[in-house]
Amino acid sequence: MSLRDRDYIISSNGLIFRVLGYSHPPDGYLCDLEYVPSNLYSSNNPRAPRGRSKISHYKLYGDEPFKLINKRFPEYRVYYRPLNAYLPGVPKNRIGEVRLPKDALIRLIDSSKDELLTALEKVLNMILCSSKLNLEDFGVFGSLLLGFYHPNFSDLDFVIYGLKNLKELRDCLAALYKGGFIFNEFEHPSEDLSFKWKFKNYPYKLYIAHQKRKLIYGVYKPLNARPVKVEFEPVKDYGEIANEYSSLRSIVRLGWLKAYATILGDDEAAFMPSVYDVEVEDVVEGFRVDGIKRIVSYVEEYRLQAFKGERVYVEGWLERVESLKELFYQITLTYGPKYYEQTLYSLDLSHSLGF
């Protein structure tokens, strides 16, 4: 079986990885290290502990997984030939167990209900009754999938499969947000996290505006119960997946680039990595080359960030890509050096807000 984005791998020593994207070498999977057992690692981040009666795992955030793999678990890397580099991931001979979002959702629906699972069922029923979507179009990820969620504190983390289904879901949520019980999380954010904001070239208020229009982040507010955050992360249907790995000869990083561009295509913008077809209008800083074809982002904050026809500002790594068919350039936002200096935002939205 071929794994895809947001499927989970539990390694032979208990590390929990989330599969990252769809382009993988034949002997392993590129992954994000998402949870580490408490007997192997501890974190000072108050958001990190997971477990019910006691802490069983710690969740990693931002560029923590990249740093921890390189420092503590270098055996969990796979060789990515086009980059001529070892990247965080799980070799197939180190896979202990695989868990899939669709299977986990069915298991939760069939289990006895606590406060969180009652909310899960009600949110899904609202969507299924207000759209053309079916139960098999969804899955769950994170602590819900892994079984160490807390019924009184955890969020509802869903997967939505397929581009067509994502459009249907976003239209459905836009309508539901007007009707009560479920609201856009970023319409009136419950807490101001600007003091914790780390991205240097992406203002926090602009981040809030971008998140609001994505529509996939909500809050369910049932009567006489706590509000529950709800998110829907898009994942490709199997029929939409094309593994680029075998067709790529090389990817060479050339240097840092700052540029203005127009989005020509956004069909891949919702997925991981988020891919935007672009026409670069002006290079502010860095190499000036012809043939910059796309922006590729592995940074969660820049998923669904801009839409076809919009102008954007981007800071990231210029890369030269040689495939079996063509030679082109891309701007990549990813883990590693200058992580929090990377940015991608809509100039149309920015100007409308007075930035």
Side-chain angles (χ1 to χ4, degrees), residues 103-119:
D103 295 346
L105 177 59
I106 297 302
R107 187 169 60 249
L108 292 174
I109 287 175
D110 291 341
S111 65
S112 57
K113 299 297 182 288
D114 53 34
E115 181 179 326
L116 189 66
L117 297 190
T118 298

Side-chain angles (χ1 to χ4, degrees), residues 1-150:
M1 178 183 61
S2 180
L3 302 182
R4 57 182 166 176
D5 191 48
R6 291 197 181 270
D7 290 343
Y8 278 78
I9 295 172
I10 302 177
S11 71
S12 49
N13 67 343
L15 298 175
I16 300 176
F17 293 84
R18 174 170 50 83
V19 175
L20 187 64
Y22 309 92
S23 181
H24 305 281
D27 58 347
Y29 291 96
L30 300 183
C31 297
D32 233 354
L33 176 57
E34 190 160 313
Y35 300 96
V36 183
S38 56
N39 64 321
L40 296 178
Y41 175 75
S42 63
S43 172
N44 294 323
N45 187 334
R47 298 188 298 160
R50 293 294 187 273
R52 293 197 179 191
S53 58
K54 64 177 183 178
I55 297 172
S56 62
H57 295 78
Y58 290 96
K59 183 174 181 178
L60 304 180
Y61 291 90
D63 60 349
E64 283 182 306
F66 184 85
K67 292 178 178 177
L68 193 61
I69 287 288
N70 288 335
K71 184 177 180 180
R72 294 275 305 277
F73 306 107
E75 66 273 25
Y76 287 99
R77 297 183 299 169
V78 294
Y79 181 68
Y80 198 77
R81 177 185 43 76
L83 285 170
N84 190 28
Y86 284 88
L87 301 179
V90 183
K92 287 185 176 178
N93 61 5
R94 290 186 178 273
I95 294 176
E97 183 183 350
V98 169
R99 296 194 186 178
L100 305 179
K102 281 191 175 186
D103 295 346
L105 177 59
I106 297 302
R107 187 169 60 249
L108 292 174
I109 287 175
D110 291 341
S111 65
S112 57
K113 299 297 182 288
D114 53 34
E115 181 179 326
L116 189 66
L117 297 190
T118 298
L120 178 148
E121 198 167 66
K122 289 184 176 179
V123 168
L124 273 180
N125 284 339
M126 276 194 290
I127 292 169
L128 297 179
C129 291
S130 305
S131 71
K132 299 176 183 178
L133 295 167
N134 300 303
L135 183 61
E136 55 265 29
D137 298 324
F138 294 89
V140 292
F141 67 95
S143 59
L144 275 172
L145 178 147
L146 296 162
F148 48 68
Y149 71 89
H150 195 295

Side-chain angles (χ1 to χ4, degrees), residues 174-338:
L176 288 175
Y177 289 156
K178 300 174 183 177
F181 291 111
I182 187 165
F183 303 86
N184 189 320
E185 178 186 351
F186 292 94
E187 183 73 48
H188 302 289
S190 59
E191 53 184 334
D192 181 6
L193 299 177
S194 58
F195 65 97
K196 295 181 179 179
W197 190 241
K198 294 183 178 181
F199 285 93
K200 297 178 181 179
N201 303 308
Y202 185 30
Y204 181 72
K205 289 184 178 180
L206 191 53
Y207 159 76
I208 294 294
H210 277 84
Q211 295 298 96
K212 176 183 172 181
R213 70 178 191 165
K214 295 176 185 180
L215 300 175
I216 58 175
Y217 304 106
V219 180
Y220 173 56
K221 295 184 178 180
L223 296 173
N224 304 316
R226 72 176 178 98
V228 181
K229 288 186 178 181
V230 185
E231 69 174 277
F232 300 87
E233 293 294 347
V235 170
K236 291 182 180 181
D237 268 333
Y238 283 117
E240 298 170 331
I241 295 172
N243 188 346
E244 284 189 341
Y245 184 84
S246 60
S247 66
L248 290 173
R249 285 180 172 167
S250 66
I251 302 174
V252 179
R253 180 172 291 181
L254 300 179
W256 192 251
L257 189 80
K258 302 179 182 180
Y260 294 99
T262 297
I263 303 296
L264 301 180
D266 61 9
D267 285 351
E268 302 273 327
F271 303 114
M272 181 58 64
S274 304
V275 180
Y276 304 85
D277 299 326
V278 298
E279 179 182 355
V280 171
E281 300 173 358
D282 184 34
V283 173
V284 179
E285 179 183 309
F287 287 86
R288 296 179 182 272
V289 296
D290 295 325
I292 297 178
K293 183 177 178 180
R294 63 189 189 181
I295 296 169
V296 179
S297 174
Y298 288 89
V299 181
E300 292 279 356
E301 284 78 3
Y302 302 132
R303 176 199 300 269
L304 270 178
Q305 191 73 348
F307 303 103
K308 185 177 180 179
E310 288 189 320
R311 296 180 65 246
V312 297
Y313 176 70
V314 59
E315 293 190 29
W317 297 101
L318 178 66
E319 295 179 334
R320 179 183 182 272
V321 182
E322 183 179 357
S323 73
L324 296 177
K325 295 182 178 180
E326 60 180 329
L327 173 67
F328 63 92
Y329 296 87
Q330 65 186 22
I331 305 168
T332 299
L333 287 67
T334 189
Y335 298 104
K338 304 184 80 167

